[in-house]
Amino acid sequence: MSFPLLTVTAAVPALGAVATAAVPAARRAGAKWLALGFSLVTLALAAVQLVRFDPDAKGPFQLTESHAWIADFGVRYELGVDGISVVLIALTALLVPFVVLAGWHDADPLEGARPNRRWRPTQGFFALILMVEAMVVISFEATDVFLFYIFFEAMLIPMYFLIGGFGDRAGERDEEETAAQRSYAAVKFLLYNLAGGLIMLAAVIGLYAVTAHQLGDGTFSLQEIIRARASGRLSFATTTERALFLGFFFAFAVKAPLWPLHTWLPNAMGEATAPVAVLITAVVDKVGTFAMLRFCLQLFPEASKWATPVILVLALIGILYGALLAVGQRDIKRLIAYASISHFGFIIMGIFAMTSQGQSGATLYMVNHGISTAALMLVAGFLISRRGSRLIADYGGVQKVAPLLAGTFLVGGLATLSLPGLAPFVSEFLVLVGTFSRYPAIGVLATVGIVLAALYVLVLYQRTMTGPVAEPVRGMPDLRLRELVVVAPLIALLLFLGVYPKPLTRIVNPAVEHTMSQVHQGDPEPALPANEVEAAK
């Protein structure tokens, strides 16, 4: 029996969460090191997945595991990875150790607080981070729809407590107001995503009912459903397929987040600590866009093509809306949140452009956005922790007193605006090329988002880092060793993948080709000028 690598990769952070939560209250430092250790083991296992994954292998999934679970209802414990999911697992496993290091002191008791031997905030904080990692990893691995749904919804619980229980301490608000804002953001996050999940549950049950009616035995297995459709044993009526697609897509669009279902994100990222904000937008939200590729397109190809024009318009609105609101923000973290909404618009646009360049670019964008947003948000968190304010107007001249902090903030910002030579440029270029080849008007209008990105990033840097040194900024310390360990590898990855993205594209492209074949969609033929057409004849 082969080693269950996928199960172990998801189980290690779950076990780490239990072990970290069990550390005695007096040993906060031990809980931190334990959480970091488990996250590094998970990273090593994700690296083994990458090494063992063969991009040239036949078949859609590798490293597969399949066991009967709830046999009476056709539920199986089925795991497998393709080129898309394996790089997203690697992204998740890469970012979590940096999240742990960046949040090293975020859950420490406040000065003057009375000790409480029953409530262990430090242990709880890091245990919840590891639990989120475990649920995200198994969501990327699941090839059984019901198994995916369980963890797609279950990850909301630890995220709710991370936002509501361990929110940002910066700002001029009193403790009561801060707690109220955190609770509002956490409840809004939970309600939006639960609403999407309940609609998806109805669609999951509907999918089971259709398979039970036509195949005799109901199933949730993605591979079995795809094989049954290919052989003609399973077919969806047009209305049924569209209804099921909308149920799945709605839940994924909330998680992604796609305009107009995005409004929970600025509150959640604004009130969460910077490391938790990274966990939200760079890790958890990627499950939504990933699921569009794995489930929406492959289970409901005709409905996906039917909905494409509307989804592209919503994605375009999200690109422009998010960028415009980012330009007008006064809060650093909310600016990054609205920038992320704009970036998710690009990702969804690339997915539903239905071209190989668009979908490859969208997958790369998920990875590159995760790295660039992590770098920018974590450095912003270090900045905010020093000054105690999220307001842009409270800064000025930081580069004169903390040049390393300002420099890394600049690189993270330039990556966010997709500067050539940095990783996000490659993915954004592919998305725009892929979209333009089939929907030129959408592709042209989306480029306005690039101009607006340059505006909000450069204005943010100018107002916080340049100019005369603001009085509260004088004496601000530069990045410490722990903070440099967090930021330096992310900056290095942005540079490396910006000039040499081939290690990712080689893994991703075969999976994209498989997805395109399931949707029965090919790339459009390039249009030639009339004189070249005549010459070709």
Side-chain angles (χ1 to χ4, degrees):
M1 187 174 181
S2 60
F3 180 72
L5 178 59
L6 302 188
T7 295
V8 173
T9 305
V12 165
L15 292 172
V18 174
T20 302
V23 173
R27 303 195 174 183
R28 292 195 308 273
K32 296 173 183 179
W33 286 107
L34 189 63
L36 180 61
F38 273 99
S39 68
L40 290 173
V41 172
T42 306
L43 176 59
L45 291 168
V48 173
Q49 284 191 28
L50 277 175
V51 171
R52 291 186 57 184
F53 186 85
D54 181 7
D56 301 320
K58 297 243 176 141
F61 298 109
Q62 299 180 39
L63 308 176
T64 55
E65 302 173 30
S66 182
H67 307 282
W69 185 20
I70 311 174
D72 291 342
F73 294 98
V75 180
R76 296 186 62 81
Y77 178 80
E78 283 193 349
L79 305 179
V81 291
D82 60 6
I84 298 171
S85 57
V86 78
V87 297
L88 292 176
I89 291 168
L91 171 69
T92 302
L94 173 71
L95 291 181
V96 169
F98 297 134
V99 167
V100 171
L101 275 174
W104 203 251
H105 299 297
D106 284 357
D108 288 350
L110 294 171
E111 290 185 15
R114 290 182 299 176
N116 187 333
R117 294 188 176 276
R118 293 185 178 180
W119 170 237
R120 294 173 288 184
T122 302
Q123 289 84 334
F125 178 74
F126 292 105
L128 290 169
I129 289 174
L130 291 176
M131 189 56 68
V132 170
E133 179 181 24
M135 293 177 178
V136 169
V137 167
I138 202 166
S139 296
F140 288 140
E141 295 173 344
T143 59
D144 181 277
V145 175
F146 192 81
L147 179 67
F148 169 83
Y149 175 79
I150 289 174
F151 291 99
F152 179 80
E153 287 296 284
M155 70 179 71
L156 302 180
I157 299 170
M159 283 308 310
Y160 169 81
F161 288 108
L162 282 170
I163 297 168
F166 301 93
D168 194 352
R169 298 171 177 177
E172 303 297 329
R173 301 172 302 184
D174 59 35
E175 187 175 341
E176 188 173 328
E177 183 184 356
T178 300
Q181 290 296 325
R182 287 205 307 260
S183 297
Y184 172 78
V187 169
K188 190 174 184 179
F189 162 82
L190 187 65
L191 290 180
Y192 267 67
N193 284 276
L194 278 179
L198 288 173
I199 293 173
M200 181 182 171
L201 178 60
V204 169
I205 294 171
L207 178 65
Y208 177 80
V210 172
T211 59
H213 176 70
Q214 296 193 27
L215 301 178
D217 293 319
T219 182
F220 293 103
S221 170
L222 175 65
Q223 296 184 73
E224 189 174 337
I225 292 171
I226 291 173
R227 284 195 297 266
R229 292 201 67 170
S231 66
R233 294 185 298 118
L234 177 66
S235 62
F236 294 109
T238 300
T239 304
T240 302
E241 181 172 350
R242 290 176 179 178
L244 295 177
F245 167 84
L246 290 174
F248 277 73
F249 180 79
F250 184 83
F252 303 152
V254 172
K255 184 87 80 181
L258 175 66
W259 184 93
L261 305 171
H262 67 283
T263 59
W264 62 267
L265 183 65
N267 296 101
M269 289 183 65
E271 296 303 323
T273 64
V276 172
V278 169
L279 205 61
I280 295 169
T281 191
V283 176
V284 171
D285 287 354
K286 297 301 187 299
V287 178
T289 48
F290 160 78
M292 292 177 189
L293 279 165
R294 172 164 284 188
F295 297 105
C296 285
L297 267 60
Q298 298 194 46
L299 287 174
F300 315 111
E302 296 305 318
S304 298
K305 289 186 281 189
W306 162 75
T308 286
V310 174
I311 295 172
L312 288 177
V313 170
L314 295 178
L316 177 62
I317 294 172
I319 291 169
L320 302 179
Y321 172 88
L324 282 169
L325 264 67
V327 170
Q329 288 302 305
R330 297 181 299 171
D331 182 308
I332 297 173
K333 291 170 71 177
R334 289 179 71 91
L335 185 152
I336 299 172
Y338 280 109
S340 289
I341 291 169
S342 182
H343 295 149
F344 275 103
F346 278 108
I347 294 171
I348 295 170
M349 186 176 74
I351 291 171
F352 284 90
M354 300 293 182
T355 60
S356 57
Q357 300 101 321
Q359 292 188 359
S360 292
T363 304
L364 290 180
Y365 214 134
M366 292 186 227
V367 176
N368 295 334
H369 170 263
I371 299 170
S372 63
T373 300
L376 183 61
M377 178 59 86
L378 292 177
V379 177
F382 299 149
L383 178 69
I384 291 167
S385 67
R386 285 160 166 74
R387 171 66 179 84
S389 173
R390 299 179 347 215
L391 297 180
I392 296 171
D394 289 343
Y395 295 87
V398 173
Q399 66 181 12
K400 296 177 182 177
V401 297
L404 280 177
L405 191 153
T408 52
F409 190 80
L410 178 62
V411 175
L414 293 177
T416 298
L417 64 83
S418 299
L419 184 76
L422 296 174
F425 170 76
V426 179
S427 45
E428 193 161 278
F429 179 77
L430 285 173
V431 165
L432 289 170
V433 168
T435 303
F436 184 83
S437 65
R438 196 180 293 278
Y439 302 97
I442 297 288
V444 169
L445 290 172
T447 58
V448 177
I450 301 174
V451 178
L452 293 173
L455 181 61
Y456 62 69
V457 167
L458 295 178
V459 168
L460 171 65
Y461 185 83
Q462 179 190 38
R463 292 178 178 174
T464 55
M465 302 294 166
T466 66
V469 179
E471 191 60 36
V473 170
R474 295 185 187 278
M476 177 181 286
D478 211 340
L479 292 180
R480 303 177 179 91
L481 179 60
R482 172 179 59 85
E483 296 164 338
L484 281 172
V485 169
V486 170
V487 176
L490 298 175
I491 299 296
L493 272 175
L494 289 173
L495 292 168
F496 174 75
L497 294 176
V499 297
Y500 190 65
K502 185 178 179 181
L504 286 182
T505 56
R506 185 172 181 272
I507 295 173
V508 165
N509 286 343
V512 168
E513 291 172 7
H514 173 75
T515 302
M516 292 282 289
S517 70
Q518 294 301 316
V519 187
H520 309 294
Q521 192 82 57
D523 289 329
E525 293 291 331
L528 296 174
N531 60 338
E532 293 188 23
V533 173
E534 291 297 325
K537 291 180 180 179

